[in-house]
């Protein structure tokens, strides 16, 4: 959908004549009360559920969660997935032409924040004729958007579902983001962010950024269980398990896995988008305007909340979700909080743990009952 | 201890319209009951996945926490009532949690199996740990790591400077005030700081 009017951004800049890609699933009811907005994290898109006809492996990124008969039941709810500004899956991003200059944005794409994304999403809902959301939901960075929704548009959100998220990033989290950004920015193919004109892609930087990210999404236990100290050539059946005594070849299976993930990512993801989205993560901090007092910051939120965290998630640890729980408790808001003992680390929010999916299903059942009971 | 009479007997102790924190809320039945019949609001605390799910299913606010980690999430006197119904006997830090209950709630209500109930005494007198409807476990697999009596709790509450507002026994939903320590399978205390 095209938006001609300028959107004022938190930085003071603005963006005009931009597009937002979105998908919807299910039917909006007559009262327009059953809409659920799904917010994506770093590398996902508006394609949250289902498959594209004739395309293998085209499941939406939250297909375990969302669909007919699933936890977020699209037979009951009207689900909207939207690709954020600055991303690289159809919405206007750094690879598109800046209408002010006639040149590709590249490094000049304005810095966007979680709050800016929420404003852009709100405009999309306006255009779709949806005033109130039954729920806004997201995991990780998507959870931050769900939280921001409850703060920026409290009257438009009945429920916020915040999964594996945090009220801001820790220094360690920012540090990981910075390593990833430096990998990209120092790739000679990056050209200060204006690599499009050079016909190259800073794939080396993207690969390394993805490898680092991937390590932080998994838990030590899962990595050990999945890969342990397995040797690559032994897995391929090519040897009796002797070391190659090489410093640069792939030796261990985990190396092969990370390289594969890095290669795959570098094929489809945009380098400037990676910088923009990790920066949006870094900047998110609703308590900042309140001297660090999250309880004060969340006083504006009137939505009911479901929060979920995963015990082995060290990137967005349960303690961070509990900070949000505490701030909501201080404001006497309705909330439920589940801490799922899943082994998969941060990635667990995308996987099909029955306890996790069961809690979300029950929560959406109660939202559904509320909608049906509402006058 | 989920039978309706017992639940009602405990619910009557909760003032109408109270903001309630239910420690070890199980499947949320008590909070649900208090919300529907006594216009209460509040949250349950549970550690068990299946119980958390049951609470969400009922539409009862639930927070998944291990009570042995304390009640740091909750401010002083931030609830009208804090319930510990059949919870105390599972806690490692039962005494700390008792103080925490009195810190967080204006009124604390504790109910737990009374080990001095006469069938239990008889059983021990005969040389065996009791296995009853109220304490249905063998000694080697019981989840009840704290066994105490009405008289024991009374002493613990006094040691911690708590003011006991009411104490009685419950037997099959009936309130027993005469010799409750021998006659009742459940001990109930209402206290304040």
């Amino acid at each position: 959908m095209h938006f001609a009017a300028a959107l004022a951004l938190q930085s003071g800049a603005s963006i005009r004549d931009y597009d937002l890609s979105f998908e919807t699933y299910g039917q909006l009811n007559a009262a327009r009360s059953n809409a659920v907005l799904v917010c994506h994290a770093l590398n996902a898109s508006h394609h949250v559920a289902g498959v594209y006809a004739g395309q293998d492996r085209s499941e939406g990124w939250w297909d375990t969660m969302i669909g007919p008969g699933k936890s977020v039941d699209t037979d009951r709810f009207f689900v909207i997935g939207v690709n954020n500004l600055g991303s690289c899956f159809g919405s206007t991003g750094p690879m598109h032409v800046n209408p002010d200059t006639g040149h590709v944005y590249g490094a000049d794409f304005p810095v966007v924040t979680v709050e800016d994304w929420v404003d852009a999403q709100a405009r999309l809902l306006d255009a779709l004729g949806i005033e109130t959301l039954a729920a806004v939901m997201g995991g990780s960075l998507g959870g931050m958007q769900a939280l921001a929704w409850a703060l920026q548009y409290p009257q438009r959100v009945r429920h916020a579902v915040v999964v594996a998220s945090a009220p801001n990033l820790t220094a360690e989290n920012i540090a990981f983001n910075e390593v990833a950004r430096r990998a990209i920015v120092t790739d000679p193919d990056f050209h200060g962010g204006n690599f499009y004109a050079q016909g190259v892609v800073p794939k080396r930087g993207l690969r390394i950024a993805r490898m680092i990210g991937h390590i932080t999404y998994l838990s030590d236990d899962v990595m050990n269980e999945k890969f342990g100290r397995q040797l690559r050539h032994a897995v391929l059946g090519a040897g009796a398990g002797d070391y190659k005594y090489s410093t640069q070849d792939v030796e261990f299976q985990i190396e092969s896995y990370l390289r594969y993930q890095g290669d795959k990512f570098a094929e489809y993801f945009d380098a400037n988008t990676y910088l923009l989205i990790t920066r949006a993560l870094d900047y998110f901090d609703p308590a900042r305007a309140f001297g660090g007092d999250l309880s004060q910051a969340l006083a504006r939120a009137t939505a009911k909340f479901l929060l979920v965290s995963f015990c082995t998630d060290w990137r967005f640890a349960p303690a961070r979700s509990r900070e949000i729980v505490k701030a909501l408790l201080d404001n006497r808001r309705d909330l439920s909080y589940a801490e799922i003992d899943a082994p998969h680390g941060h990635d667990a929010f995308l996987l099909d743990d029955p306890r996790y999916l069961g809690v979300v299903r029950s929560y959406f059942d109660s939202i559904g009952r509320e909608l049906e009971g509402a006058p | 201890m989920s039978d309706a009479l017992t639940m009602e007997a405990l619910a009557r102790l909760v003032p109408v319209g109270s903001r309630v924190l239910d420690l070890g809320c199980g499947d949320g039945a008590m909070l649900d009951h208090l919300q529907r019949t006594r216009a209460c609001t509040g949250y349950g605390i549970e550690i068990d996945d299946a119980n958390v799910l049951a609470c969400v299913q009922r539409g009862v606010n639930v927070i998944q926490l291990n009570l042995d980690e304390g009640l740091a999430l909750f401010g002083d006197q931030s609830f009208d009532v804090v319930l510990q119904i059949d919870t105390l006997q599972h806690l490692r830090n039962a005494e700390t949690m008792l103080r925490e209950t009195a810190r967080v709630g204006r009124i604390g209500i504790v109910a737990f199996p009374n080990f001095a109930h006469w069938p239990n005494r008889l059983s021990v007198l005969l040389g065996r740990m009791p296995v009853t409807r109220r304490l249905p476990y063998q000694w080697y697999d019981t989840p009840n790591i704290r066994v105490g009596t009405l008289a024991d709790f009374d002493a613990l509450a006094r040691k911690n400077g708590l003011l006991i507002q009411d104490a009685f026994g419950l037997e099959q939903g009936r309130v027993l005030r005469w010799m409750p320590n021998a006659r009742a399978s459940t001990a109930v205390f209402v206290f304040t700081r």
Side-chain angles (χ1 to χ4, degrees), chain A residues 306 322-323 325-326 328-330 332-341 355 358-359 362-363 366 369, chain B residues 19 42-43 49 52-53 56-65 69 72-75 77-79 106:
Chain A
L306 173 67
R322 283 191 216 152
E323 289 175 37
V325 169
K326 176 159 185 8
L328 291 168
L329 283 169
D330 288 344
R332 306 190 160 206
R333 299 295 180 241
D334 279 309
L335 77 103
S336 281
Y337 170 58
E339 207 167 284
I340 308 288
D341 188 15
R355 292 163 296 184
V359 165
S362 296
Y363 194 76
S366 70
R369 287 198 304 271
Chain B
R19 184 171 140 87
Y43 312 85
D49 291 331
V52 169
L53 180 65
V56 175
Q57 247 153 11
R58 279 178 197 273
V60 165
N61 289 332
V62 63
I63 298 169
Q64 190 161 27
L65 277 185
E69 290 171 17
L73 282 179
F74 303 96
Q77 306 286 289
S78 53
F79 287 85
R106 279 183 270 279

Side-chain angles (χ1 to χ4, degrees), chain B residues 66-71 84 88 90-100 145-146:
Chain B
N66 182 351
L67 287 175
D68 279 326
E69 290 171 17
L71 294 180
Q84 271 197 47
L88 172 132
H90 305 303
L91 298 176
R92 271 179 199 290
N93 57 358
E95 183 177 8
T96 308
M97 196 49 68
L98 187 62
R99 284 198 294 265
E100 283 284 89
I145 60 170
R146 306 277 173 235

Side-chain angles (χ1 to χ4, degrees), chain A residues 19 30 41 44 79 95 112 126 144 151 177-178 213 227 230 232 262 264 274 280 324 332 339 342 351-353 373 375:
Chain A
D19 293 294
V79 173
M95 68 298 300
V112 281
D126 293 343
M144 290 174 168
L151 300 177
N177 283 346
E178 176 60 4
F227 307 105
Q230 283 175 54
R232 178 67 182 153
K264 204 170 70 169
Y274 202 97
I324 303 174
R332 306 190 160 206
E339 207 167 284
L351 305 177
D352 58 351
D353 185 292

Side-chain angles (χ1 to χ4, degrees), chain A residues 151 286-301 323-324 326-331 333:
Chain A
L151 300 177
R288 189 166 179 264
F290 296 86
D293 187 334
L294 188 64
S295 299
Q296 266 189 50
L298 298 200
R300 283 171 291 165
E323 289 175 37
I324 303 174
K326 176 159 185 8
L328 291 168
L329 283 169
D330 288 344
N331 286 295
R333 299 295 180 241

Side-chain angles (χ1 to χ4, degrees), chain A residues 133-343:
Chain A
L133 290 167
V136 55
M137 72 185 300
S140 190
L141 173 59
M144 290 174 168
Q145 291 161 62
L147 180 59
W149 257 99
L151 300 177
Q152 284 166 254
Y153 299 97
Q155 73 288 358
R156 297 185 75 169
V157 182
R158 286 174 181 271
H159 295 266
V161 178
V162 177
V163 181
S165 195
N168 60 22
L169 291 195
T170 60
E172 184 187 58
N173 267 317
I174 296 171
F176 281 121
N177 283 346
E178 176 60 4
V179 175
R181 280 190 296 264
R182 292 309 295 167
I184 290 169
V185 168
T186 57
D187 184 326
D189 285 339
F190 184 64
H191 296 286
N194 300 311
F195 52 86
Y196 311 98
Q198 317 284 328
V200 292
V201 172
K203 285 191 179 178
R204 280 162 290 188
L206 275 168
R207 283 189 196 110
I208 292 166
R210 181 60 170 171
M211 287 166 83
I212 292 159
H214 219 85
I215 295 167
T216 70
Y217 304 148
L218 298 176
S219 70
D220 193 20
D221 282 350
V222 150
M223 233 192 238
N224 266 323
E225 190 186 310
K226 222 167 160 179
F227 307 105
R229 294 183 53 82
Q230 283 175 54
L231 299 178
R232 178 67 182 153
H233 64 242
V235 170
L236 294 174
D242 293 332
Y243 289 161
K244 289 192 210 165
Y245 296 102
S246 156
T247 55
Q248 295 187 24
D249 285 351
V250 169
E251 181 75 282
F252 293 94
Q253 186 61 15
I254 181 64
E255 298 169 20
S256 165
Y257 172 78
L258 287 177
R259 289 194 194 190
Y260 170 75
Q261 292 294 340
D263 289 347
K264 204 170 70 169
F265 188 70
E267 289 302 317
Y268 72 83
F269 208 79
D270 181 82
N272 284 309
T273 292
Y274 202 97
L275 304 184
L276 285 165
I277 296 189
T278 53
R279 246 328 176 214
L281 271 159
D282 294 354
Y283 281 140
F284 182 69
D285 187 6
R288 189 166 179 264
F290 296 86
D293 187 334
L294 188 64
S295 299
Q296 266 189 50
L298 298 200
R300 283 171 291 165
T302 51
K304 298 177 180 180
F305 277 76
L306 173 67
L307 294 115
V308 181
S309 72
F310 301 93
C311 294
T312 53
D313 181 353
W314 55 280
R315 186 91 196 244
F316 288 83
R320 304 309 320 278
S321 285
R322 283 191 216 152
E323 289 175 37
I324 303 174
V325 169
K326 176 159 185 8
L328 291 168
L329 283 169
D330 288 344
N331 286 295
R332 306 190 160 206
R333 299 295 180 241
D334 279 309
L335 77 103
S336 281
Y337 170 58
E339 207 167 284
I340 308 288
D341 188 15

